[in-house]
Amino acid sequence: MDGRTFVSMSLPLLTRLDARDRALFTRLAINMHRTPRTRDAWAAVSHCGGARATIAICLASVAFDSVSWMLAWRALLVLAVSHVIVQCVKRFAVRERPTARLSFDAMIVVPDRFSFPSGHSCAAMSVAAVYAWAFPSWAPILLGLALAVGVSRVVLGVHYPGDVVVGQVIALVTAAVGVRW
C-alpha cells in the first residue's frame, strides 16, 4: 500500500471522527448552562492548565521540600517537551477552533486560532502525570484535576473533545518517557 492509498482510505475515517467530535462538542458545550457562576467555575479550572499555573506549580514544589528540585526540573522538562510537540502538531494539523467552524461563541478568550491538540489539557496532564508518578497516593486527585481541565476546555467552547484527548495522550507519553529517563 502506498502513501496515497493510505491517505485516501483514512479520509472517510477522519471525516467520521470529526463529525462525531463536533456532535459531542455540541452536546457538552452548547447545551451547558451558561450562567456566570458556571462559566467562572469552569474558567478557574481551565486556568490550571495555563502556562503560568503549570510553571508555578512546578516551581512551588521546590519551596515545600529541598529534595524535590529534581522532580520540579523533571516536571518542567516534560512540560516544555510536550508543549513543543503540541505546537508542532497544531501547526501541521491546522484545525480551526469550534468558534470559527461552528459559529459558536466561546465563554472565555480564545488563545489562538488552532484547536488540535489542546495545549492546556496537555500541560495540566503532563505536570499531573509527573507528580502522580512521584506521589502515587496523590495520583487520583492530580489526574482528576488534569482531566477536569480537559473537560473545561470543551465546556467553555475552545476545544473539541478529540483535541483534549490527543493533548492528554501527548502529555502521558511525554511524561512516561520523562520519568523513566
Side-chain angles (χ1 to χ4, degrees):
M1 178 185 327
D2 68 354
R4 287 181 297 193
T5 306
F6 177 75
V7 169
S8 65
M9 289 173 46
S10 300
L11 287 178
L13 173 65
L14 292 176
T15 302
R16 287 194 314 269
L17 286 174
D18 183 55
R20 288 195 175 136
D21 211 18
R22 282 185 280 129
L24 185 56
F25 170 83
T26 302
R27 276 185 261 147
L28 290 173
I30 295 176
N31 293 330
M32 287 295 295
H33 300 288
R34 290 176 163 235
T35 65
R37 200 178 251 177
T38 303
R39 187 203 65 228
D40 292 346
W42 281 115
V45 171
S46 182
H47 289 309
C48 291
R52 287 187 206 128
T54 52
I55 292 169
I57 289 166
C58 294
L59 296 177
S61 68
V62 176
F64 293 114
D65 182 7
S66 61
V67 178
S68 64
W69 67 270
M70 187 63 154
L71 180 61
W73 281 112
R74 180 170 284 154
L76 285 168
L77 179 64
V78 167
L79 179 62
V81 170
S82 66
H83 176 73
V84 169
I85 294 169
V86 163
Q87 292 306 313
C88 289
V89 172
K90 276 189 180 211
R91 284 359 179 229
F92 179 75
V94 192
R95 185 180 195 189
E96 290 182 320
R97 290 195 182 262
T99 52
R101 198 154 182 213
L102 300 177
S103 299
F104 175 78
D105 292 330
M107 290 191 264
I108 59 172
V109 175
V110 178
D112 62 23
R113 63 181 203 190
F114 302 119
S115 181
F116 180 83
S118 170
H120 279 71
S121 300
C122 183
M125 186 59 75
S126 63
V127 173
V130 171
Y131 282 100
W133 170 78
F135 305 106
S137 62
W138 284 84
I141 294 168
L142 295 170
L143 297 175
L145 180 58
L147 289 171
V149 168
V151 170
S152 75
R153 303 302 288 170
V154 176
V155 170
L156 293 169
V158 292
H159 281 290
Y160 295 103
D163 303 340
V164 169
V165 170
V166 171
Q168 291 177 338
V169 167
I170 290 170
L172 291 170
V173 170
T174 307
V177 170
V179 298
R180 295 198 193 314
W181 176 57

